[in-house]
Amino acid sequence: MLLRAILLGWGLCVASVAFGQAAPARVSGQSLYLPVYSHILHGEGGGKAQSARVLVSVMVSIRNTDTLRPMRVTSAVYYDTEGRRIKDYVPAPRVVAPMGTLEIFIPRSDDTGGSGANFVIGWKADAPVNPPLVEAVHANFPTGRSIVFITSARPIQTE
């Protein structure tokens, strides 16, 4: 009986999340904040124990979700943990076709961003479009173990 009540409650939560999501409004441009990590810490930390630092590669995926109109990625500025600008990976606007994707890759060996790195990604379109889906896939595949996780962008005000 208790298991049935738990499953029913879980099902209602899942259903409310799935049905509660409306399509985002069409817009003609945004600035997006994307958290990324050039490394993560794990272990005990503090005292005599040391935290282990694990480097990860980062693939940023900027996906045009509009089926009819292109969009332009106008900038993709990478910042480190201290908020210092490292590099603009899109120094000139890049057109992303309808349903197309622009990828940015930061190799595992590049740890300049730190654990608090981030991107601010700017994009525009000539007419309102579905906003892009922007995610970062972090990965490290050493022998015997694997680390993979995703972070997602969110709109911010930059002015």
Side-chain angles (χ1 to χ4, degrees):
M1 186 64 119
L2 178 60
L3 179 59
R4 184 175 175 182
I6 291 171
L7 290 175
L8 178 62
W10 180 80
L12 290 174
C13 289
V14 170
S16 67
V17 170
F19 293 116
Q21 293 181 354
R26 292 178 181 259
V27 293
S28 56
Q30 293 174 309
S31 292
L32 302 171
Y33 174 84
L34 176 65
V36 297
Y37 302 81
S38 63
H39 70 267
I40 58 172
L41 300 175
H42 75 93
E44 298 300 322
K48 293 181 182 179
Q50 292 286 0
S51 296
R53 188 172 87 143
V54 177
L55 299 176
V56 293
S57 60
V58 181
M59 183 186 73
V60 175
S61 180
I62 304 169
R63 298 170 180 255
N64 183 353
T65 65
D66 201 273
T67 59
L68 302 175
R69 294 183 180 90
M71 59 175 268
R72 290 179 314 285
V73 176
T74 56
S75 63
V77 182
Y78 186 44
Y79 294 90
D80 71 7
T81 300
E82 302 301 320
R84 292 181 295 254
R85 181 185 178 128
I86 297 173
K87 178 180 180 179
D88 188 347
Y89 279 83
V90 182
R94 300 268 310 269
V95 174
V96 181
M99 302 308 291
T101 301
L102 173 64
E103 293 176 342
I104 298 167
F105 184 74
I106 301 172
R108 188 177 66 212
S109 59
D110 181 353
D111 65 351
T112 57
S115 62
N118 59 80
F119 275 91
V120 174
I121 297 167
W123 72 272
K124 292 184 179 180
D126 293 334
V129 297
N130 291 324
L133 175 66
V134 179
E135 297 177 320
V137 179
H138 304 75
N140 184 332
F141 298 107
T143 304
R145 64 183 172 139
S146 297
I147 300 168
V148 178
F149 61 96
I150 297 173
T151 56
S152 299
R154 64 184 59 182
I156 60 169
Q157 295 293 325
T158 56
E159 299 169 8

